[in-house]
Amino acid sequence: MSRPIRALPRTWLLLAATALVTGSLLTAPAAAQAAPARTPPLTTPWTGQALAGTPLPEYPRPQMTRPDWLNLNGEWQLRQSATDDPPQFGTDLPERINVPFPVESALSGVMRPAGDNRHYLYYRRTFTVPGDWAGRRVQLHFGAVDWQTTVWVNGTEVGRHTGGYDAFTFDITPRLNGGSNELVVKVWDPTDSRQNGSLPAIGKQTRTPGGIFYTPSSGIWQTVWLEPTPAASISGVDLRPNLADNTLRVRVFARGNVSGHSVLAEALTGTTVVGTSTGGFTEFSVPVPNARRWSPDDPFLYNLRITLRNGGGAQVDRTTHYFGMREITTGLINGVLRPKLNGQFVFQAGTLDQGYWPDGLYTAPTDAALAFDLQKHKDLGFNMVRKHIKVEPQRWFYHADRLGLLVWQDIPSLTAQDIDPNDAQQAQFEAEAREIVDEHRSSPSVVAYVVYNEGWGERALADTRRVGQNVKNQDPTRLVNTHSGHNCCQSLGNPGNGDMDDWHIYVGPDSPPASTTRISVLGEFGGPGLRTPGHEYSPNGSFNAYEWQPNPTALTDRYVGLVAGTHNLMVGKGLSASVYTEITDLEGELNGFLTYDRQVVKMDQNRVRAANQALIAASKALSNSGPVTLPVHTRRSLQVTTPGFTNRYLRHMNGLAYTEVVDAGSPTVLRQDATYTIRPGLAGTGCYSFESVNFPGQFLRHVDSRVRNSPDDGSALLRADATWCARTGLTGGGVSFESYNFRGSYLRHHGAQVWLSNGAGGPAYNSPASWLADVTWNVTGPWAP
């Protein structure tokens, strides 16, 4: 079976830690001459290394390796044009550029202005195919080119591709001449100019950068390389672990005539084969006995060797891959739908990671730089990263796989301007989305796809639902977030489908209501900023954050408080994941953990890590917050359980609820005030209402978050406000009382007053500090029998 040549659908890199990776993979090509870099607005620790030899010399596709390849990064010729000119062959072009850095970047050596209207880019270079490749096909690979690409070899067109975020490949064998070959690439990248009616997927790119939109990255921006393959060869492999029977499901795609061929798949730990299977070109299973589970705590990767054999059993082609045995599913825990990693609920705590660099823009200056941001997530105690409306090179996913981070991969959006795509533009957006899903099908780190963001590029709610469902159908093994931030901005509303219900709340936190059908997630929150002079850059000179903090200590305090609020929402309201904005500053945005140049960590890393790790640990041991049965028509008192205050009880005074010390010597009126009769809930008999014993007909209710006594006037509002659902105490013991009409908010004492609170932060009564204890009560015998 053959698959059409297109973006090769997978990940990449050498498995450098294993003997499967031959020495030839680790050998960098000879250094290429580099065009002089321009001076970037900020210098990263890797700026000086980026052009010291061949830019980004590492093997670009770790998920499917072969020993022979040739890197074409380095200095190319360039011509920029405002018009769609015919390509020029056999002639030098006027400029020089360092591929694969975008033309707007300093490391490209061009650094053209963001608003330049020369949307047509012509690249040229020559190459010679190594002599020992004779008799094999030659594949020309592009990691990514933004946006529409046409390629010629020795004056003959070899292929076209549209899409700025997926890989593509052309077999150029028939066009090679045996000597020096000329490669010409034309790229049309209109960004958000709307030239010729264009509406490409651009994510955050804009020709007028400022605020939350940034300098564009035009043209070639990922590695260009050559690879020899047999005439019949492996073109791609899909990998899908099955934990139920400890097998790896494998499907191999091939190019050329593979009639009568078979496939041998060998799973390995290091160099030791642990399971083998033979199959064809439909899915088959490879045993992985006693499989070690991949997780952020233990990101163990197996190796996989795929051998294509002819009808006589001889090896025709061989590729090396890796995989992680992990499963992402959903399941009910105490009536709330939660995401489960390998069968266990683990809160997914991550950041918004937009992947921009002051020296390379879309393209990290080096592979070490590419891995740095992911390692910083681990250092800061996160277990997840949301890759925000950009798709990184294949090596980035390998680093996420080996480091152990859960990845939410966004589909890059159309413009954030309120412009509805026409049918052709919508179809192109969906085609690019399909390629992105195909390309990352085998990465263990990728656990979710985010299809739309805040309504950007959205044209109709029916389309949103349909595209989200199509992504789920294409890859049912992962979660789908149909619309992140459907409560925000230009969104057309809640699509109602997909695996996640996603809000954006700045500064937050807050949470969509718990559900039995979709996971409640906070797709963006946070955003407090801190100025760091000498480490800032803005294209238009202005800087912004969602709120400002005066120093690193205050910024850290604010973050730790937000995590405490997130913890409370997880326990009390059913929140299952949160995405903090953001890992680094980015041009005019100064709300990162790190500065844009990656030179300064702006918060106390140890405190941040401790807060994040405590949140994740608490999710793994989430207490049972199921319903509790109370004795109706009997008198009871509510005792505070917060340490140091356990001699206090809930009482009413002058119509308002308070806590006060009560004992056997207390006045009769105080003991009566601290006693209520438990009644069936006025708004729902599955819950409860509390009637005052000394003011019959008055019930404990909330008004504007303050808790008080009010007469039952028969209104629906009062009956809902006066109904409380008894849950197992959020500390693990006692009882917590959840509001009937404000789910996720609980009866809480604070400073002797009693409030309705979700503990997410904001007003003092909603402080996350000691919230779990403050909303947990003991239901005791009555002080007024």
Side-chain angles (χ1 to χ4, degrees):
M1 177 180 179
S2 63
R3 165 185 275 185
I5 294 177
R6 55 158 192 75
L8 281 180
R10 331 286 135 229
T11 348
W12 14 269
L13 175 74
L14 330 162
L15 303 174
T18 77
L20 286 178
V21 182
T22 64
S24 61
L25 272 179
L26 298 174
T27 303
Q33 181 181 359
R38 300 297 182 96
T39 302
L42 295 171
T43 301
T44 71
W46 308 274
T47 303
Q49 305 166 24
L51 302 178
T54 299
L56 299 171
E58 296 81 11
Y59 191 86
R61 192 188 57 204
Q63 185 53 279
M64 191 173 93
T65 70
R66 289 187 177 93
D68 296 331
W69 70 293
L70 180 65
N71 194 324
L72 296 185
N73 291 345
E75 182 181 310
W76 291 45
Q77 298 175 6
L78 176 71
R79 180 171 68 89
Q80 305 180 71
S81 177
T83 57
D84 187 6
D85 307 330
Q88 299 173 1
F89 304 118
T91 184
D92 286 342
L93 304 183
E95 298 179 82
R96 299 295 178 268
I97 184 170
N98 298 311
V99 169
F101 296 105
V103 292
E104 293 87 355
S105 70
L107 288 175
S108 73
V110 180
M111 202 177 181
R112 77 176 194 184
D116 196 303
N117 67 352
R118 293 174 293 171
H119 302 308
Y120 294 92
L121 307 174
Y122 298 82
Y123 295 79
R124 178 180 181 268
R125 68 158 290 162
T126 60
F127 64 90
T128 301
V129 175
D132 60 359
W133 291 11
R136 289 185 277 178
R137 311 294 295 184
V138 176
Q139 313 297 331
L140 172 62
H141 299 291
F142 292 85
V145 182
D146 197 6
W147 171 60
Q148 203 168 84
T149 308
T150 309
V151 179
W152 294 264
V153 173
N154 294 325
T156 299
E157 183 178 321
V158 296
R160 301 185 179 196
H161 178 266
T162 299
Y165 299 93
D166 60 300
F168 56 98
T169 298
F170 303 124
D171 186 330
I172 62 173
T173 312
R175 307 307 170 199
L176 300 175
N177 61 20
S180 178
N181 298 276
E182 181 186 48
L183 173 60
V184 173
V185 178
K186 182 182 83 170
V187 182
W188 177 47
D189 186 13
T191 313
D192 57 355
S193 69
R194 304 306 310 279
Q195 184 184 42
N196 301 337
S198 59
L199 190 63
I202 56 174
K204 289 292 195 79
Q205 301 180 71
T206 180
R207 300 173 69 249
T208 56
I212 66 167
F213 299 97
Y214 321 122
T215 303
S217 291
S218 299
I220 299 172
W221 67 277
Q222 291 186 26
T223 292
V224 184
W225 56 296
L226 295 173
E227 179 186 37
T229 64
S233 64
I234 300 162
S235 63
V237 179
D238 282 349
L239 307 176
R240 181 171 63 89
N242 188 328
L243 302 192
D245 60 4
N246 277 343
T247 63
L248 178 71
R249 306 298 171 86
V250 175
R251 185 178 183 187
V252 175
F253 299 89
R255 60 169 73 86
N257 183 2
V258 293
S259 177
H261 289 52
S262 63
V263 174
L264 172 66
E266 301 169 282
L268 304 97
T269 299
T271 58
T272 303
V273 175
V274 296
T276 65
S277 186
T278 301
F281 302 101
T282 56
E283 186 176 272
F284 62 96
S285 296
V286 180
V288 188
N290 302 310
R292 183 171 167 182
R293 305 299 194 238
W294 182 98
S295 73
D297 295 331
D298 183 22
F300 181 79
L301 296 176
Y302 287 88
N303 299 318
L304 181 70
R305 191 162 54 210
I306 299 293
T307 304
L308 180 65
R309 303 187 296 190
N310 63 22
Q315 176 178 319
V316 173
D317 191 18
R318 173 172 283 178
T319 54
T320 300
H321 310 250
Y322 68 85
F323 64 94
M325 292 295 289
R326 71 102 184 93
E327 182 178 67
I328 187 76
T329 57
T330 63
L332 289 173
I333 298 178
N334 303 323
V336 174
L337 194 70
R338 303 281 193 178
K340 289 187 173 184
L341 179 66
N342 303 331
Q344 180 184 31
F345 169 50
V346 179
F347 190 92
Q348 297 182 21
T351 82
L352 203 69
D353 182 347
Q354 308 200 63
Y356 277 76
W357 301 82
D359 45 14
L361 295 178
Y362 254 22
T363 308
T366 68
D367 189 62
L370 191 68
F372 175 83
D373 285 359
L374 292 170
Q375 182 60 59
K376 270 301 167 192
H377 280 83
K378 298 291 288 190
D379 295 343
L380 291 164
F382 291 103
N383 64 359
M384 180 263 278
V385 53
R386 178 183 173 193
K387 177 50 63 175
H388 192 38
I389 47 182
K390 178 198 177 187
V391 184
E392 293 287 1
Q394 296 282 355
R395 291 190 64 87
W396 184 90
F397 292 89
Y398 167 70
H399 293 310
D401 293 337
R402 69 175 179 83
L403 290 171
L405 280 164
L406 306 176
V407 173
W408 291 13
Q409 177 59 61
D410 284 17
I411 303 302
S413 67
L414 305 179
T415 178
Q417 302 167 12
D418 191 10
I419 300 173
D420 292 338
N422 60 33
D423 288 348
Q425 293 161 346
Q426 178 71 21
Q428 178 60 35
F429 167 76
E430 294 180 33
E432 294 184 35
R434 287 192 296 271
E435 293 297 318
I436 290 165
V437 173
D438 266 351
E439 193 163 321
H440 301 96
R441 191 184 303 278
S442 300
S443 175
S445 61
V446 178
V447 297
Y449 289 106
V450 181
V451 184
Y452 282 93
N453 181 78
E454 296 182 352
W456 300 359
E458 187 181 24
R459 70 173 188 172
L461 201 54
D463 281 323
T464 303
R465 295 188 183 104
R466 177 181 54 79
V467 178
Q469 186 59 52
N470 286 347
V471 171
K472 186 67 175 182
N473 294 343
Q474 187 180 356
D475 189 352
T477 70
R478 289 183 169 88
L479 306 179
V480 170
N481 186 345
T482 300
H483 197 156
S484 182
H486 66 73
N487 66 318
C488 176
C489 315
Q490 299 169 198
S491 169
L492 298 178
N494 188 344
N497 70 337
D499 296 298
M500 300 183 185
D501 186 0
D502 183 318
W503 282 2
H504 292 180
I505 303 288
Y506 286 104
V507 170
D510 203 346
S511 171
S515 169
T516 60
T517 58
R518 287 194 296 165
I519 302 161
S520 173
V521 306
L522 183 56
E524 293 181 27
F525 83 109
L530 175 67
R531 299 293 302 268
T532 313
H535 300 275
E536 302 172 348
Y537 162 71
S538 169
N540 63 6
S542 66
F543 296 99
N544 63 86
Y546 291 94
E547 70 175 32
W548 293 106
Q549 294 295 327
N551 54 58
T553 299
L555 183 64
T556 306
D557 289 345
R558 182 67 164 126
Y559 178 75
V560 170
L562 292 174
V563 175
T566 303
H567 181 183
N568 294 341
L569 290 168
M570 175 188 72
V571 175
K573 198 173 180 182
L575 184 67
S576 290
S578 63
V579 179
Y580 182 85
T581 303
E582 58 195 306
I583 185 63
T584 72
D585 292 347
L586 206 163
E587 294 194 351
E589 287 189 87
L590 300 184
N591 46 25
F593 286 98
L594 288 81
T595 53
Y596 189 25
D597 57 10
R598 277 71 167 179
Q599 303 277 8
V600 179
V601 179
K602 297 196 293 181
M603 296 190 202
D604 183 327
Q605 182 169 293
N606 291 333
R607 290 184 62 201
V608 169
R609 179 180 176 82
N612 288 334
Q613 290 292 290
L615 170 64
I616 294 167
S619 71
K620 296 177 183 179
L622 192 65
S623 63
N624 184 344
S625 58
V628 170
T629 300
L630 300 180
V632 295
H633 307 306
T634 62
R635 294 183 176 188
R636 291 291 185 270
S637 295
L638 301 182
Q639 179 190 19
V640 170
T641 66
T642 306
F645 299 93
T646 55
N647 59 347
R648 303 180 74 89
Y649 291 78
L650 187 149
R651 61 86 55 99
H652 63 85
M653 182 173 63
N654 298 326
L656 294 175
Y658 297 89
T659 65
E660 189 167 331
V661 175
V662 183
D663 58 31
S666 295
T668 299
V669 66
L670 173 56
R671 288 185 282 120
Q672 290 176 335
D673 287 347
T675 304
Y676 285 85
T677 301
I678 301 173
R679 303 295 189 192
L682 296 177
T685 57
C687 298
Y688 301 93
S689 294
F690 296 92
E691 185 180 13
S692 169
V693 299
N694 51 351
F695 288 88
Q698 292 192 9
F699 290 83
L700 196 68
R701 59 91 58 101
H702 59 83
V703 177
D704 296 329
S705 297
R706 188 70 165 90
V707 177
R708 64 192 66 223
N709 275 11
S710 290
D712 179 10
D713 60 8
S715 69
L717 176 61
L718 179 136
R719 287 173 170 259
D721 288 348
T723 301
W724 305 87
C725 301
R727 314 290 190 200
T728 301
L730 298 188
T731 58
V735 183
S736 293
F737 297 99
E738 184 180 22
S739 167
Y740 177 85
N741 51 350
F742 288 88
R743 295 301 170 94
S745 293
Y746 290 78
L747 187 72
R748 185 218 186 144
H749 68 87
H750 179 80
Q753 297 178 344
V754 181
W755 297 83
L756 183 69
S757 169
N758 66 13
Y765 70 81
N766 214 38
S767 166
S770 77
W771 181 80
L772 294 175
D774 290 352
V775 299
T776 301
W777 306 81
N778 284 329
V779 178
T780 68
W783 281 109

